[in-house]
């Protein structure tokens, strides 16, 4: 059989339509390999994280410094869109990194701060103390990581902040039932 005939599509004609089936040329492109040296990408990733784990505390402190600088800028210059976005990005990065870096309770507090920034109808009206308590809590959780986590203080602090933030958001969004579903959604629950 000629190569052109093997590569030609198979055509089935019917009264009102045709079915064209292209040739299966992929079978010739596949090479079977014996799995002698099974690669474990998850294992390699875990080894890489273990090698980097000594840096996690330093990286979280850097993230906290960024959050603190964003908050200081907000206090100094007022609640502009730029300052709000900087604070949100810093808190959101902590929320995303904290669990991987071994600070799950910091993620809960950072998520609570993100929710305030995201769901407050007028960010300028958010009490400064509410934001400051979140920033201070995140810094304390990271700074005193082993001490307060062992005592369970970090988890309780994060959960109380979340409760206060939710109460505030429910109050300021009471006239907006469309927003209440997002506010009532569950958040991060740190593993024990």
């Amino acid at each position: 059989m000629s190569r052109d005939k093997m590569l030609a599509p198979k055509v089935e004609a019917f009264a009102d339509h045709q079915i064209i089936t292209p040739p299966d040329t992929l079978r010739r492109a596949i090479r079977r390999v014996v799995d002698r040296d099974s690669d474990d990408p998850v294992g390699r990733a875990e080894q890489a994280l273990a090698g980097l784990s000594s840096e996690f505390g330093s990286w979280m402190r850097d993230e906290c410094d960024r959050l603190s600088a964003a908050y200081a800028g907000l206090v100094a210059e007022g609640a502009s869109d730029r300052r709000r976005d900087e604070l949100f990005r810093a808190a959101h990065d902590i929320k995303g990194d904290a669990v991987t870096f071994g600070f799950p309770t910091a993620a809960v507090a950072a998520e609570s701060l993100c929710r305030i920034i995201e769901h407050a109808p007028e960010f300028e009206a958010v009490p400064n103390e509410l934001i400051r308590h979140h920033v201070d809590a995140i810094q304390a959780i990271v700074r005193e990581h082993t001490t307060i986590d062992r005592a369970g203080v970090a988890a309780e602090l994060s959960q109380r902040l979340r409760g206060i933030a939710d109460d505030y958001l429910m109050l300021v969004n009471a006239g907006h039932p469309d927003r209440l579903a997002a506010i009532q959604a569950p958040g991060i629950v740190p593993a024990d």
Side-chain angles (χ1 to χ4, degrees):
M1 188 177 275
S2 73
R3 179 172 167 78
D4 290 338
K5 197 161 197 161
M6 286 177 50
L7 295 178
K10 176 182 163 190
V11 179
E12 293 180 69
F14 296 92
D16 59 342
H17 67 280
Q18 288 183 337
I19 297 178
I20 302 171
T21 307
D24 185 5
T25 58
L26 292 177
R27 291 195 190 277
R28 285 182 270 144
I30 296 174
R31 185 179 79 179
R32 304 255 182 234
V33 179
V34 178
D35 193 14
R36 286 182 232 125
D37 198 22
S38 66
D39 182 31
D40 181 14
V42 174
R44 281 186 314 173
E46 287 174 348
Q47 282 181 326
L49 279 175
L52 294 172
S53 64
S54 63
E55 301 292 325
F56 290 172
S58 172
W59 292 344
M60 281 302 295
R61 285 187 294 279
D62 290 346
E63 293 293 337
C64 283
D65 290 346
R66 208 172 114 224
L67 178 68
S68 183
Y71 175 69
L74 181 80
V75 170
E77 296 177 19
S80 67
D81 288 346
R82 182 175 143 252
R83 290 299 180 182
R84 181 195 66 225
D85 292 346
E86 284 177 7
L87 185 69
F88 180 81
R89 278 193 304 277
H92 195 270
D93 287 350
I94 289 172
K95 179 181 102 169
D97 293 342
V99 174
T100 301
F101 293 170
F103 297 83
T105 50
V108 176
E111 180 195 26
S112 180
L113 179 55
C114 287
R115 288 169 52 80
I116 293 168
I117 297 167
E118 190 173 15
H119 295 296
E122 293 178 29
F123 181 69
E124 305 80 30
V126 174
N128 183 47
E129 297 79 29
L130 184 58
I131 297 170
R132 183 175 47 80
H133 287 311
H134 279 80
V135 172
D136 290 347
I138 293 165
Q139 290 176 324
I141 290 167
V142 171
R143 184 180 58 246
E144 305 296 331
H145 176 59
T146 55
T147 307
I148 64 175
D149 269 352
R150 238 182 278 135
V153 174
E156 185 176 337
L157 176 61
S158 294
Q159 291 304 320
R160 283 192 182 186
L161 279 173
R162 170 65 190 257
I164 292 167
D166 285 352
D167 290 346
Y168 171 77
L169 290 172
M170 294 295 285
L171 178 70
V172 298
N173 285 295
H176 305 278
D178 54 317
R179 297 181 189 167
L180 295 179
I183 295 167
Q184 293 169 336
I188 295 174
V189 179
D192 291 332

